[in-house]
Amino acid sequence: QVQLVESGGGLVPAGGSLRLTCKDPRSIFSVFSVKTMAWYRQAPGKQRELVAQISSDRATNYADFVKGRFTISRDNSNKKVFLQMYSLQPEDTANYYCNEITRDGHPRNDWGQGTQVTVSS
């Protein structure tokens, strides 16, 4: 099954920045453009948590722990979602995933590989 593809992670010092990219290879742009998309993250031994989401009309919501630091955006023509991260902190270290949020408010079951973000002290 074709999955969403995340990229852009890496190792950065505290205070650094990264831009994550999510590419949807499954949908044509007209379908992708009406999806609510989101970024999640999961650290080892911890539950996956919602980081940010963006609706089809580009309304955004952020977890409290990233407000003012992260920005989610989308490029519908290229079927991409971005997460621009500033002022990264060690507690942001996690594997970051994107996914569609369906009408029932939950992400799809088919997760991609994710992209690792590691923030050193």
Side-chain angles (χ1 to χ4, degrees):
Q1 185 173 355
V2 179
Q3 299 172 316
L4 298 170
V5 181
E6 301 93 344
S7 62
L11 174 63
V12 295
S17 302
L18 285 171
R19 190 183 77 154
L20 308 184
T21 298
C22 168
K23 171 70 175 180
D24 181 0
R26 302 176 296 186
S27 304
I28 59 175
F29 80 91
S30 59
V31 173
F32 177 82
S33 66
V34 300
K35 297 178 182 294
T36 296
M37 301 297 295
W39 285 95
Y40 297 80
R41 70 187 188 187
Q42 186 169 25
K46 298 183 66 176
Q47 189 175 8
R48 182 175 56 241
E49 59 186 354
L50 179 67
V51 175
Q53 64 183 59
I54 183 167
S55 70
S56 60
D57 65 356
R58 290 186 167 86
T60 58
N61 287 290
Y62 298 93
D64 287 343
F65 52 81
V66 303
K67 285 181 179 177
R69 299 190 297 124
F70 292 7
T71 301
I72 187 171
S73 60
R74 64 194 299 159
D75 176 355
N76 289 334
S77 64
N78 289 299
K79 301 182 296 179
K80 290 181 177 179
V81 182
F82 306 99
L83 186 68
Q84 179 66 59
M85 305 184 294
Y86 296 106
S87 300
L88 285 162
Q89 302 168 22
E91 53 264 41
D92 295 317
T93 295
N95 202 13
Y96 283 70
Y97 304 85
C98 68
N99 211 338
E100 175 188 355
I101 296 180
T102 59
R103 292 186 65 186
D104 65 359
H106 298 101
R108 289 173 57 110
N109 290 327
D110 49 337
W111 297 89
Q113 296 294 97
T115 186
Q116 179 67 38
V117 172
T118 302
V119 185
S120 61
S121 300

